[in-house]
C-alpha cells in the first residue's frame, strides 16, 4: 500500500511525538533505580565500575553552598566535582529521609566522595553514596527510542510526500 492520502502525515507526526513520549518515560524510569539503590556511608569507597554514583544527605542545606568532590582510585589521584542533582529526589532508609544532592553518571573502581560546605563552618549533615546499576543504559534506551521514532516518522512523511508527488494525475 502506498501512502498517498494526507492522513499519513498525521500518522508520521503521531509516530514522532508518541515515540518521544515513550522515550522520555523510559529514560525517566532510570531514577527509580536511584531510589532503589543501597546507601552506604560516604566515608568508605564505593565500588562502581560501569555504574553511576548517587550522593545523598540527611540534612538538605539549601541556604548553604555544599560542594562534593569524588575521585576514582587511591589517594593522590585527581578529584573532580560531583554534578548537582538535576531533580529533587528523596528516599527513606531506616527512618532517615535522604535527599539526592549530587550525581556522577560514570563511576569507577573505589570511588571516594567527600562533601563539605563552602563556608567551612560546622556541617551537621551526614552524607551517603549509592552505586546505581543500569542508570545510563536506561537513559540511552530512552534516547534511542526517541531517535528511532523520529527517523521512522520522518521517513514515513518523506515517503508519503514522494508517493503523492509521483502519483499520476487524472485528466478529465
Amino acid at each position: 500500500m502506498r501512502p498517498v492520502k494526507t492522513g499519513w502525515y498525521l500518522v508520521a507526526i503521531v509516530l514522532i511525538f508518541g515515540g518521544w513520549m515513550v522515550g522520555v518515560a523510559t529514560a525517566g524510569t532510570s531514577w527509580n533505580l536511584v531510589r532503589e539503590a543501597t546507601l552506604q556511608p560516604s566515608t568508605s569507597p564505593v565500588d562502581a565500575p560501569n555504574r553511576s554514583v548517587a550522593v545523598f544527605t540527611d540534612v538538605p542545606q539549601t541556604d548553604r553552598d555544599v560542594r562534593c568532590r569524588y575521585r576514582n582510585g587511591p589517594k593522590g589521584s585527581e578529584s573532580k566535582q560531583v554534578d548537582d542533582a538535576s531533580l529533587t529526589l528523596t528516599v527513606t532508609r531506616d527512618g532517615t529521609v535522604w535527599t539526592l544532592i549530587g550525581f556522577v553518571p560514570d563511576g569507577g573502581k573505589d570511588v571516594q566522595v567527600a562533601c563539605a560546605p563552602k563556608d567551612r563552618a560546622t556541617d551537621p549533615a551526614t552524607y551517603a553514596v549509592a552505586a546505581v546499576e543500569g542508570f545510563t543504559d536506561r537513559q540511552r534506551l530512552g534516547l534511542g527510542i526517541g531517535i528511532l521514532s523520529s527517523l521512522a516518522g520522518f521517513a514515513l512523511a518523506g515517503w508519503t510526500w514522494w508517493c503523492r508527488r509521483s502519483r499520476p494525475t487524472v485528466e478529465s
Side-chain angles (χ1 to χ4, degrees), residues 25-47:
T26 301
T29 61
S30 61
W31 292 105
N32 291 338
L33 300 172
V34 175
R35 282 188 183 93
E36 296 163 1
T38 303
L39 298 178
Q40 67 183 49
S42 66
T43 54
S44 61
V46 61
D47 194 27

Side-chain angles (χ1 to χ4, degrees), residues 61-165:
Q61 302 176 63
T62 56
D63 56 332
R64 296 176 75 184
D65 188 14
V66 177
R67 295 290 174 194
C68 297
R69 298 191 66 77
Y70 75 99
R71 70 171 179 258
N72 292 331
K75 287 191 175 222
S77 58
E78 179 185 356
S79 69
K80 300 172 190 163
Q81 182 80 25
V82 173
D83 297 332
D84 290 336
S86 59
L87 75 154
T88 303
L89 186 137
T90 58
V91 296
T92 304
R93 299 285 191 279
D94 298 328
T96 303
V97 177
W98 295 92
T99 303
L100 180 69
I101 59 169
F103 197 77
V104 179
D106 298 315
K109 187 161 177 55
D110 295 329
V111 177
Q112 297 172 331
V113 177
C115 300
K118 203 170 183 180
D119 62 9
R120 304 250 188 236
T122 304
D123 188 11
T126 303
Y127 301 97
V129 294
V132 182
E133 182 78 37
F135 181 86
T136 54
D137 294 337
R138 190 141 331 155
Q139 293 277 314
R140 288 183 189 126
L141 175 63
L143 180 62
I145 290 170
I147 289 172
L148 287 177
S149 69
S150 294
L151 291 174
F154 285 121
L156 178 60
W159 188 37
T160 302
W161 176 82
W162 179 258
C163 290
R164 288 178 55 81
R165 184 179 166 272

